[in-house]
Amino acid sequence: MMQKNKTRVGAAEGSFTPFTVGPDEIVLTGITLEGIADGDRVVLDIDVTWLKPMCDLGELELILRRDAPTGTVIYWTMETCFARARVREECIVRGEGGMRHFFLTTRSSEHKAMLAAYYLEGTVYAGT
């Protein structure tokens, strides 16, 4: 498959003070992928490092949305950890004309997660 476009955005560990994620969904980052055509293969990679601020099990929800920070959910996962975790996930969607913007959002219903690093990478491959 021919690669048409690739974009990666986020924040490395140590580039910011880790912060606690609460029950309200927040946007971590967003990307814009130009030139997506109907039938293209769009690969979205999530890479998040997080800690738990309390003594019990930590929980973190990661959500990928398209078009807007409150747009259609295209991927969702809930992760748990006892001390520290790194989540690496891949979401593949079929391109639709007009598709350009993707957002990585997160929440932790009981304030049981602290973000330490996050990236969202998008790659567009020409359809077959």
Side-chain angles (χ1 to χ4, degrees), residues 99-117:
M99 180 187 282
R100 295 179 58 215
H101 306 290
F102 300 91
F103 298 87
L104 175 60
T105 66
T106 189
R107 66 182 164 215
S108 178
S109 62
E110 297 179 10
H111 301 274
K112 292 184 177 181
M114 291 183 73
L115 263 286

Side-chain angles (χ1 to χ4, degrees), residues 5-93:
N5 189 353
K6 184 173 190 173
T7 302
R8 178 179 165 106
V9 293
E13 190 164 4
S15 68
F16 64 96
T17 302
F19 60 91
T20 301
V21 177
D24 296 327
E25 190 173 339
I26 60 168
V27 176
L28 291 178
T29 193
I31 58 173
T32 298
L33 297 171
E34 300 294 346
I36 298 174
D38 289 346
D40 283 351
R41 184 173 186 236
V42 180
V43 180
L44 300 162
D45 290 303
I46 299 169
D47 188 345
V48 174
T49 301
W50 64 287
L51 321 161
K52 67 166 189 68
M54 298 182 201
C55 297
D56 55 354
L57 188 65
E59 295 177 349
L60 179 71
E61 290 179 62
L62 295 169
I63 304 123
L64 273 177
R65 294 181 176 273
R66 63 175 272 194
D67 303 325
T70 57
T72 303
V73 173
I74 58 173
Y75 181 82
W76 176 91
T77 187
M78 179 182 282
E79 301 292 326
T80 60
C81 84
F82 285 102
R84 177 183 175 88
R86 182 174 182 196
V87 179
R88 297 180 81 185
E89 295 286 333
E90 179 181 82
C91 171
I92 300 172
V93 296

